[in-house]
Amino acid sequence: MGVPFEALIPYGIIVGMFGVTGVGLTAVKYLSNDGKKARWNRDLWDRNMMERDQRITGAFRAQSGNAEAPKGFEVSNPWKLEKRIF
């Protein structure tokens, strides 16, 4: 006895929705990273360099090849203060 074709329609819908979600997630990651592949396995150094690049260029994934920092960068200090409790 064969499987009726009506039973395959829900499975096709489920597989199609998994495909739509995968493509949608990939598109959102791609667009949120300025058209570049998503970064993975970032450590503290990478996060600090990404923050510095954002302060220099104004964009999260952009980099600058200028030898001099833009005007106003000298007061753009990334250091955070620690709260000391005495």
Side-chain angles (χ1 to χ4, degrees):
M1 178 172 189
V3 177
F5 70 93
E6 293 93 2
L8 299 178
I9 294 173
Y11 292 115
I13 292 172
I14 291 170
V15 168
M17 289 299 114
F18 275 117
V20 166
T21 8
V23 169
L25 182 62
T26 302
V28 166
K29 281 185 177 182
Y30 181 77
L31 294 173
S32 67
N33 283 308
D34 295 333
K36 298 176 184 167
K37 290 178 125 182
R39 291 181 173 165
W40 53 278
N41 200 16
R42 294 174 296 173
D43 58 0
L44 183 60
W45 174 263
D46 294 328
R47 288 191 294 270
N48 285 336
M49 291 297 105
M50 287 167 46
E51 182 182 339
R52 181 199 59 134
D53 292 341
Q54 184 175 14
R55 288 187 296 119
I56 289 175
T57 62
F60 184 64
R61 292 289 305 259
Q63 293 180 348
S64 176
N66 296 339
E68 296 180 12
K71 192 163 187 83
F73 186 74
E74 64 275 357
V75 295
S76 177
N77 192 350
W79 291 95
K80 304 329 184 246
L81 296 177
E82 294 181 15
K83 287 187 175 182
R84 292 188 144 192
I85 301 172
F86 292 100

Coordinates of all heavy atoms in Angstrom, one line a residue:
M1 N 0.8 -1.2 0.0 CA 0.0 0.0 0.0 C 0.9 1.2 0.0 O 1.8 1.4 0.8 CB -0.9 0.0 1.2 CG -1.8 1.2 1.3 SD -2.9 0.9 2.7 CE -4.0 2.2 2.4
G2 N 0.6 2.1 -0.9 CA 1.4 3.3 -1.1 C 1.0 4.5 -0.1 O -0.1 4.4 0.5
V3 N 1.8 5.5 -0.1 CA 1.5 6.6 0.8 C 0.6 7.6 -0.1 O 1.0 7.9 -1.2 CB 2.8 7.4 1.2 CG1 2.4 8.6 2.0 CG2 3.6 6.4 2.1
P4 N -0.5 8.0 0.4 CA -1.3 8.9 -0.4 C -0.6 10.3 -0.6 O 0.1 10.7 0.3 CB -2.6 9.1 0.4 CG -2.4 8.3 1.7 CD -1.1 7.6 1.6
F5 N -0.8 10.9 -1.7 CA 0.0 12.1 -2.0 C -0.5 13.3 -1.1 O 0.3 14.2 -0.9 CB -0.2 12.5 -3.5 CG -1.6 13.0 -3.8 CD1 -1.9 14.3 -3.7 CD2 -2.6 12.1 -4.1 CE1 -3.2 14.7 -4.0 CE2 -3.9 12.5 -4.4 CZ -4.2 13.8 -4.4
E6 N -1.7 13.1 -0.4 CA -2.1 14.2 0.5 C -1.2 14.3 1.7 O -1.1 15.3 2.3 CB -3.5 14.0 0.9 CG -4.6 14.1 -0.2 CD -4.9 12.8 -0.8 OE1 -4.3 11.8 -0.4 OE2 -5.7 12.8 -1.8
A7 N -0.6 13.2 2.1 CA 0.3 13.2 3.2 C 1.7 13.9 2.9 O 2.4 14.3 3.8 CB 0.6 11.7 3.7
L8 N 2.0 14.0 1.7 CA 3.3 14.6 1.3 C 3.2 16.1 1.3 O 4.2 16.8 1.4 CB 3.8 14.1 -0.1 CG 4.0 12.6 -0.1 CD1 4.4 12.2 -1.5 CD2 5.1 12.2 0.9
I9 N 2.0 16.7 1.2 CA 1.9 18.1 1.1 C 2.3 18.8 2.4 O 3.1 19.8 2.3 CB 0.4 18.5 0.7 CG1 0.1 18.0 -0.7 CG2 0.2 20.0 0.9 CD1 -1.3 18.2 -1.1
P10 N 1.9 18.4 3.6 CA 2.5 19.0 4.8 C 4.0 18.9 4.9 O 4.6 19.9 5.4 CB 1.8 18.3 5.9 CG 0.6 17.6 5.3 CD 0.9 17.4 3.9
Y11 N 4.5 17.8 4.5 CA 6.0 17.7 4.6 C 6.7 18.6 3.6 O 7.7 19.2 4.0 CB 6.4 16.2 4.3 CG 6.0 15.3 5.4 CD1 5.1 14.3 5.1 CD2 6.5 15.4 6.7 CE1 4.7 13.4 6.1 CE2 6.2 14.5 7.7 CZ 5.2 13.5 7.4 OH 4.9 12.6 8.4
G12 N 6.1 18.8 2.5 CA 6.6 19.8 1.5 C 6.6 21.2 2.1 O 7.5 22.0 1.9
I13 N 5.5 21.5 2.8 CA 5.3 22.8 3.4 C 6.4 23.0 4.5 O 7.0 24.1 4.6 CB 3.9 23.0 4.0 CG1 2.9 23.1 2.8 CG2 3.8 24.3 4.8 CD1 1.5 23.1 3.2
I14 N 6.6 22.0 5.3 CA 7.6 22.1 6.4 C 9.0 22.3 5.9 O 9.7 23.1 6.3 CB 7.5 20.8 7.3 CG1 6.2 20.8 8.1 CG2 8.7 20.7 8.3 CD1 5.9 19.5 8.8
V15 N 9.3 21.5 4.9 CA 10.7 21.6 4.3 C 10.8 23.0 3.6 O 11.9 23.6 3.8 CB 10.9 20.5 3.3 CG1 12.2 20.7 2.5 CG2 11.0 19.1 4.0
G16 N 9.8 23.5 3.0 CA 9.8 24.8 2.4 C 10.0 25.9 3.4 O 10.8 26.9 3.2
M17 N 9.3 25.8 4.5 CA 9.5 26.8 5.6 C 10.9 26.8 6.2 O 11.4 27.9 6.5 CB 8.4 26.6 6.6 CG 7.0 27.0 6.2 SD 6.9 28.7 5.7 CE 6.5 28.5 3.9
F18 N 11.4 25.6 6.3 CA 12.8 25.6 6.8 C 13.8 26.3 5.8 O 14.7 27.0 6.2 CB 13.3 24.1 7.1 CG 12.9 23.6 8.4 CD1 12.1 22.5 8.5 CD2 13.4 24.2 9.6 CE1 11.7 22.0 9.8 CE2 13.1 23.7 10.8 CZ 12.2 22.6 10.9
G19 N 13.5 26.1 4.6 CA 14.3 26.7 3.5 C 14.2 28.2 3.6 O 15.1 29.0 3.4
V20 N 12.9 28.7 3.7 CA 12.6 30.1 3.7 C 13.3 30.8 4.9 O 13.9 31.8 4.8 CB 11.1 30.4 3.8 CG1 10.8 31.8 4.1 CG2 10.5 30.0 2.4
T21 N 13.2 30.1 6.1 CA 13.9 30.7 7.3 C 15.4 30.7 7.2 O 16.0 31.6 7.6 CB 13.5 29.8 8.6 OG1 12.9 28.7 8.3 CG2 12.8 30.6 9.5
G22 N 16.0 29.6 6.6 CA 17.4 29.6 6.4 C 17.9 30.7 5.5 O 18.9 31.4 5.7
V23 N 17.2 30.9 4.4 CA 17.5 32.0 3.4 C 17.3 33.3 4.0 O 18.2 34.2 3.9 CB 16.7 31.8 2.1 CG1 16.9 33.0 1.2 CG2 17.2 30.6 1.3
G24 N 16.2 33.5 4.8 CA 16.0 34.8 5.5 C 17.0 35.1 6.5 O 17.5 36.3 6.6
L25 N 17.5 34.1 7.3 CA 18.5 34.4 8.3 C 19.8 34.7 7.6 O 20.5 35.6 8.1 CB 18.7 33.1 9.2 CG 19.7 33.2 10.3 CD1 19.3 34.3 11.3 CD2 19.8 31.9 11.0
T26 N 20.2 34.0 6.6 CA 21.4 34.3 5.8 C 21.3 35.7 5.2 O 22.3 36.5 5.3 CB 21.6 33.3 4.7 OG1 21.7 32.0 5.3 CG2 22.9 33.6 3.9
A27 N 20.2 36.1 4.7 CA 20.1 37.5 4.1 C 20.2 38.6 5.2 O 20.8 39.6 5.0 CB 18.7 37.6 3.4
V28 N 19.6 38.3 6.3 CA 19.6 39.3 7.4 C 21.1 39.5 7.9 O 21.6 40.6 8.1 CB 18.7 38.9 8.6 CG1 19.0 39.7 9.8 CG2 17.2 39.1 8.2
K29 N 21.8 38.4 8.1 CA 23.2 38.4 8.5 C 24.0 39.1 7.5 O 24.9 40.0 7.8 CB 23.7 37.0 8.8 CG 23.4 36.4 10.1 CD 24.1 35.1 10.2 CE 23.8 34.5 11.6 NZ 24.5 33.2 11.8
Y30 N 23.8 38.8 6.2 CA 24.6 39.5 5.1 C 24.3 41.0 5.1 O 25.3 41.7 5.0 CB 24.2 38.8 3.8 CG 24.9 39.3 2.6 CD1 26.2 38.9 2.3 CD2 24.3 40.2 1.7 CE1 26.9 39.4 1.2 CE2 24.9 40.7 0.6 CZ 26.2 40.2 0.4 OH 26.9 40.7 -0.7
L31 N 23.1 41.4 5.2 CA 22.8 42.8 5.1 C 23.2 43.6 6.4 O 23.6 44.7 6.3 CB 21.3 43.0 4.9 CG 20.8 42.5 3.5 CD1 19.3 42.6 3.4 CD2 21.4 43.3 2.4
S32 N 23.2 42.9 7.5 CA 23.6 43.6 8.7 C 25.1 43.7 8.8 O 25.6 44.5 9.6 CB 23.0 42.9 10.0 OG 23.6 41.6 10.1
N33 N 25.8 43.0 8.0 CA 27.3 43.1 8.0 C 27.8 43.8 6.8 O 28.9 43.6 6.3 CB 27.9 41.7 8.1 CG 27.8 41.1 9.4 OD1 28.3 41.7 10.4 ND2 27.3 39.9 9.5
D34 N 27.0 44.7 6.3 CA 27.4 45.6 5.2 C 27.8 44.8 3.9 O 28.8 45.1 3.2 CB 28.6 46.5 5.5 CG 28.2 47.5 6.6 OD1 27.0 47.9 6.7 OD2 29.0 48.0 7.3
G35 N 27.1 43.7 3.7 CA 27.3 42.9 2.5 C 28.6 42.0 2.6 O 29.1 41.5 1.6
K36 N 29.0 41.7 3.8 CA 30.2 40.8 4.0 C 29.7 39.6 4.8 O 28.7 39.6 5.4 CB 31.3 41.5 4.7 CG 31.8 42.8 4.0 CD 32.8 43.5 4.8 CE 33.2 44.8 4.0 NZ 34.0 45.7 4.8
K37 N 30.5 38.6 4.7 CA 30.2 37.4 5.5 C 30.2 37.7 7.0 O 31.0 38.5 7.4 CB 31.2 36.2 5.2 CG 31.1 35.7 3.8 CD 32.1 34.6 3.6 CE 31.5 33.4 3.2 NZ 32.4 32.3 3.0
A38 N 29.4 37.0 7.7 CA 29.4 37.2 9.2 C 30.7 36.7 9.8 O 31.3 35.7 9.4 CB 28.2 36.4 9.8
R39 N 31.1 37.5 10.8 CA 32.3 37.1 11.5 C 32.0 36.0 12.6 O 30.9 36.0 13.2 CB 32.9 38.3 12.2 CG 33.5 39.3 11.2 CD 34.1 40.5 11.9 NE 34.8 41.3 11.0 CZ 35.1 42.5 11.3 NH1 34.9 43.1 12.4 NH2 35.8 43.2 10.3
W40 N 32.9 35.2 12.8 CA 32.7 34.1 13.9 C 34.0 33.9 14.6 O 35.1 34.3 14.2 CB 32.2 32.8 13.2 CG 33.1 32.3 12.1 CD1 33.1 32.7 10.8 CD2 34.2 31.4 12.2 NE1 34.1 32.1 10.1 CE2 34.7 31.2 10.9 CE3 34.7 30.6 13.3 CZ2 35.8 30.4 10.7 CZ3 35.7 29.8 13.0 CH2 36.3 29.7 11.7
N41 N 33.9 33.4 15.8 CA 35.0 33.1 16.7 C 35.8 34.4 17.0 O 37.1 34.4 16.8 CB 35.9 32.0 16.0 CG 36.8 31.4 17.0 OD1 36.6 31.5 18.2 ND2 37.9 30.7 16.5
R42 N 35.1 35.4 17.4 CA 35.8 36.7 17.7 C 36.3 36.6 19.1 O 35.6 36.3 20.0 CB 34.8 37.8 17.5 CG 34.4 38.0 16.1 CD 33.4 39.1 16.0 NE 32.2 38.6 16.8 CZ 31.1 39.3 17.0 NH1 31.0 40.5 16.6 NH2 30.1 38.7 17.7
D43 N 37.5 37.1 19.3 CA 38.0 37.2 20.7 C 38.1 38.7 21.1 O 37.5 39.5 20.4 CB 39.4 36.5 20.8 CG 40.4 37.1 19.9 OD1 40.1 38.0 19.1 OD2 41.6 36.7 19.9
L44 N 38.6 39.0 22.2 CA 38.7 40.4 22.7 C 39.4 41.3 21.8 O 39.0 42.4 21.6 CB 39.3 40.4 24.1 CG 39.3 41.7 24.8 CD1 37.9 42.3 25.0 CD2 40.0 41.6 26.1
W45 N 40.5 40.8 21.2 CA 41.2 41.7 20.2 C 40.4 42.0 19.0 O 40.3 43.2 18.6 CB 42.5 40.9 19.8 CG 43.2 41.6 18.7 CD1 43.2 41.4 17.4 CD2 44.2 42.7 18.9 NE1 44.0 42.3 16.7 CE2 44.6 43.1 17.6 CE3 44.7 43.3 20.0 CZ2 45.6 44.1 17.4 CZ3 45.6 44.3 19.8 CH2 46.0 44.7 18.5
D46 N 39.7 41.1 18.5 CA 38.8 41.3 17.3 C 37.7 42.3 17.7 O 37.4 43.2 16.9 CB 38.2 40.1 16.8 CG 39.2 39.1 16.2 OD1 40.2 39.6 15.7 OD2 39.0 37.9 16.3
R47 N 37.1 42.2 18.8 CA 36.0 43.1 19.2 C 36.6 44.5 19.4 O 35.9 45.5 19.1 CB 35.3 42.6 20.5 CG 34.5 41.4 20.2 CD 33.6 41.0 21.4 NE 34.3 40.6 22.6 CZ 34.6 39.3 22.8 NH1 34.3 38.4 22.0 NH2 35.3 39.0 23.9
N48 N 37.8 44.6 20.0 CA 38.4 46.0 20.2 C 38.7 46.6 18.9 O 38.5 47.8 18.7 CB 39.6 45.9 21.1 CG 39.3 45.7 22.5 OD1 38.2 46.0 23.0 ND2 40.2 45.1 23.3
M49 N 39.2 45.8 17.9 CA 39.5 46.4 16.6 C 38.3 46.8 15.8 O 38.2 47.8 15.1 CB 40.3 45.4 15.8 CG 41.7 45.1 16.3 SD 42.8 46.6 16.2 CE 42.8 47.1 18.0
M50 N 37.2 46.0 16.0 CA 35.9 46.4 15.4 C 35.4 47.6 16.0 O 34.9 48.5 15.2 CB 34.9 45.2 15.5 CG 35.2 44.0 14.7 SD 34.3 42.5 15.0 CE 32.7 43.1 15.2
E51 N 35.5 47.8 17.3 CA 35.0 49.1 17.9 C 35.9 50.2 17.4 O 35.4 51.3 17.2 CB 35.1 48.9 19.4 CG 34.6 50.1 20.2 CD 34.8 49.9 21.7 OE1 34.8 48.8 22.2 OE2 34.8 51.0 22.4
R52 N 37.2 50.0 17.3 CA 38.1 51.1 16.8 C 37.7 51.5 15.4 O 37.6 52.7 15.1 CB 39.5 50.7 16.9 CG 40.5 51.7 16.4 CD 41.8 51.1 16.1 NE 41.6 50.1 15.1 CZ 42.4 50.0 14.0 NH1 43.4 50.8 13.8 NH2 42.2 49.1 13.1
D53 N 37.5 50.5 14.5 CA 37.1 50.8 13.2 C 35.8 51.5 13.1 O 35.7 52.4 12.3 CB 37.0 49.5 12.4 CG 38.4 48.8 12.2 OD1 39.4 49.5 12.3 OD2 38.4 47.6 11.9
Q54 N 34.9 51.2 14.0 CA 33.6 51.9 14.0 C 33.8 53.3 14.4 O 33.2 54.2 13.9 CB 32.6 51.2 14.9 CG 31.2 51.8 14.8 CD 30.2 51.1 15.7 OE1 30.6 50.2 16.5 NE2 29.0 51.4 15.4
R55 N 34.7 53.6 15.4 CA 34.9 55.0 15.8 C 35.6 55.8 14.7 O 35.4 56.9 14.6 CB 35.7 55.0 17.1 CG 34.9 54.5 18.3 CD 35.7 54.7 19.6 NE 36.9 53.8 19.7 CZ 38.1 54.3 19.8 NH1 38.3 55.6 19.9 NH2 39.1 53.5 19.9
I56 N 36.5 55.1 13.9 CA 37.3 55.8 12.9 C 36.4 56.1 11.7 O 36.3 57.2 11.2 CB 38.5 55.0 12.4 CG1 39.5 55.0 13.6 CG2 39.1 55.6 11.2 CD1 40.7 54.2 13.3
T57 N 35.6 55.1 11.2 CA 34.9 55.2 10.0 C 33.4 55.5 10.2 O 32.8 56.0 9.2 CB 35.0 53.9 9.1 OG1 34.4 52.9 9.9 CG2 36.4 53.6 8.8
G58 N 32.9 55.2 11.3 CA 31.4 55.4 11.5 C 30.6 54.2 11.1 O 29.4 54.2 11.3
A59 N 31.2 53.2 10.5 CA 30.5 52.0 10.1 C 31.0 50.8 10.8 O 32.2 50.8 11.1 CB 30.6 51.8 8.6
F60 N 30.2 49.8 11.1 CA 30.6 48.7 11.9 C 31.6 47.8 11.2 O 32.6 47.3 11.8 CB 29.3 47.9 12.2 CG 29.6 46.7 13.1 CD1 30.0 46.9 14.4 CD2 29.4 45.4 12.7 CE1 30.3 45.9 15.3 CE2 29.7 44.3 13.6 CZ 30.1 44.6 14.8
R61 N 31.5 47.6 9.9 CA 32.4 46.7 9.2 C 33.4 47.4 8.3 O 34.1 46.7 7.5 CB 31.6 45.7 8.4 CG 30.8 44.7 9.2 CD 31.7 43.7 9.9 NE 32.6 43.0 9.0 CZ 32.4 41.7 8.6 NH1 31.3 41.1 8.9 NH2 33.3 41.2 7.8
A62 N 33.5 48.7 8.3 CA 34.3 49.4 7.4 C 35.7 49.6 8.0 O 35.9 49.6 9.2 CB 33.8 50.8 7.0
Q63 N 36.7 49.7 7.1 CA 38.1 50.0 7.6 C 38.6 51.2 6.8 O 38.1 51.5 5.7 CB 39.0 48.8 7.4 CG 38.6 47.7 8.3 CD 39.5 46.5 8.1 OE1 40.3 46.4 7.1 NE2 39.4 45.5 8.9
S64 N 39.6 51.9 7.4 CA 40.1 53.1 6.7 C 41.6 52.8 6.5 O 42.3 52.3 7.3 CB 39.9 54.3 7.6 OG 40.5 55.4 7.0
G65 N 42.1 53.3 5.3 CA 43.5 53.2 5.0 C 44.3 54.5 5.2 O 45.4 54.6 4.8
N66 N 43.6 55.5 5.8 CA 44.3 56.8 6.0 C 45.4 56.6 7.0 O 45.2 55.9 8.0 CB 43.3 57.8 6.5 CG 42.2 58.1 5.4 OD1 42.4 57.8 4.2 ND2 41.1 58.6 5.8
A67 N 46.5 57.4 6.8 CA 47.6 57.3 7.7 C 47.3 58.2 9.0 O 47.9 57.9 10.0 CB 48.8 57.9 7.1
E68 N 46.4 59.1 8.9 CA 46.1 60.0 10.0 C 44.6 59.7 10.4 O 43.7 59.5 9.6 CB 46.2 61.5 9.7 CG 47.7 61.8 9.3 CD 47.8 63.3 9.0 OE1 46.8 64.0 9.2 OE2 48.9 63.7 8.5
A69 N 44.4 59.8 11.7 CA 43.0 59.6 12.2 C 42.2 60.8 11.9 O 42.7 61.9 11.8 CB 43.1 59.4 13.8
P70 N 40.9 60.6 11.8 CA 40.0 61.8 11.4 C 39.9 62.7 12.6 O 40.3 62.4 13.7 CB 38.6 61.1 11.2 CG 38.7 59.8 11.9 CD 40.1 59.4 11.8
K71 N 39.5 63.9 12.3 CA 39.4 65.0 13.3 C 38.4 64.6 14.4 O 37.4 64.1 14.1 CB 39.0 66.3 12.6 CG 39.2 67.5 13.5 CD 39.1 68.8 12.7 CE 39.4 70.0 13.5 NZ 40.8 70.2 13.7
G72 N 38.8 64.8 15.6 CA 37.9 64.4 16.7 C 38.2 63.0 17.3 O 37.6 62.6 18.3
F73 N 39.0 62.2 16.6 CA 39.3 60.9 17.1 C 40.2 60.9 18.3 O 40.1 60.0 19.1 CB 40.0 60.1 16.0 CG 40.2 58.6 16.3 CD1 39.1 57.8 16.3 CD2 41.5 58.1 16.7 CE1 39.3 56.4 16.7 CE2 41.6 56.8 17.0 CZ 40.6 55.9 17.0
E74 N 41.0 62.0 18.5 CA 41.9 62.0 19.7 C 41.1 62.1 21.0 O 41.6 61.7 22.0 CB 42.8 63.2 19.6 CG 42.2 64.6 19.6 CD 41.8 65.0 18.2 OE1 42.0 64.3 17.2 OE2 41.2 66.1 18.1
V75 N 39.8 62.6 20.9 CA 39.0 62.6 22.2 C 38.0 61.5 22.2 O 37.2 61.4 23.1 CB 38.3 64.0 22.3 CG1 39.2 65.1 22.4 CG2 37.4 64.2 21.1
S76 N 38.1 60.6 21.3 CA 37.2 59.4 21.2 C 37.9 58.3 21.9 O 38.4 57.4 21.3 CB 36.9 59.1 19.8 OG 36.1 58.0 19.7
N77 N 37.9 58.3 23.2 CA 38.7 57.3 24.0 C 37.8 56.1 24.3 O 36.7 56.2 24.8 CB 39.1 58.0 25.3 CG 40.1 57.1 26.0 OD1 40.4 56.0 25.7 ND2 40.7 57.6 27.1
P78 N 38.3 54.9 23.9 CA 37.5 53.7 24.1 C 37.6 53.2 25.6 O 36.9 52.2 25.9 CB 38.1 52.7 23.2 CG 39.6 53.1 23.1 CD 39.6 54.6 23.2
W79 N 38.5 53.7 26.4 CA 38.7 53.1 27.7 C 37.4 53.4 28.6 O 36.9 54.5 28.6 CB 39.9 53.7 28.4 CG 41.2 53.3 27.7 CD1 41.8 53.9 26.8 CD2 41.8 52.1 28.0 NE1 42.9 53.2 26.4 CE2 43.0 52.1 27.1 CE3 41.6 51.0 28.8 CZ2 43.9 51.0 27.1 CZ3 42.5 50.0 28.8 CH2 43.6 50.0 28.0
K80 N 37.0 52.4 29.3 CA 35.9 52.5 30.2 C 36.4 52.6 31.6 O 37.4 52.0 32.0 CB 35.0 51.3 30.1 CG 34.4 50.8 28.9 CD 34.0 51.5 27.8 CE 33.3 50.8 26.7 NZ 34.1 50.8 25.5
L81 N 35.7 53.4 32.4 CA 36.1 53.6 33.8 C 35.6 52.4 34.7 O 34.5 52.0 34.4 CB 35.7 54.9 34.4 CG 36.3 56.1 33.7 CD1 35.6 57.4 34.3 CD2 37.7 56.2 33.9
E82 N 36.4 52.1 35.6 CA 35.9 51.0 36.6 C 35.3 51.7 37.8 O 35.7 52.8 38.2 CB 37.0 50.2 37.1 CG 37.7 49.3 36.0 CD 38.8 48.5 36.5 OE1 38.9 48.4 37.8 OE2 39.6 48.0 35.7
K83 N 34.2 51.2 38.3 CA 33.6 51.7 39.5 C 34.3 51.0 40.6 O 34.3 49.7 40.7 CB 32.1 51.4 39.5 CG 31.3 52.3 38.6 CD 29.8 52.1 38.8 CE 29.0 53.0 38.0 NZ 27.6 52.9 38.2
R84 N 34.8 51.8 41.5 CA 35.5 51.2 42.7 C 34.6 51.4 43.9 O 34.1 52.4 44.2 CB 36.8 51.9 43.0 CG 37.8 51.6 41.9 CD 39.2 52.1 42.3 NE 40.1 51.1 41.8 CZ 41.4 51.1 42.2 NH1 41.8 52.0 43.0 NH2 42.2 50.3 41.7
I85 N 34.4 50.3 44.6 CA 33.6 50.3 45.8 C 34.6 50.2 47.0 O 35.3 49.2 47.1 CB 32.6 49.2 45.8 CG1 31.7 49.3 44.6 CG2 31.8 49.2 47.1 CD1 30.8 48.2 44.4
F86 N 34.6 51.2 47.8 CA 35.5 51.2 49.0 C 34.7 50.8 50.2 O 33.6 51.1 50.5 CB 36.1 52.6 49.2 CG 37.1 52.9 48.1 CD1 36.7 53.7 47.1 CD2 38.3 52.3 48.1 CE1 37.6 54.0 46.1 CE2 39.2 52.6 47.1 CZ 38.9 53.5 46.1

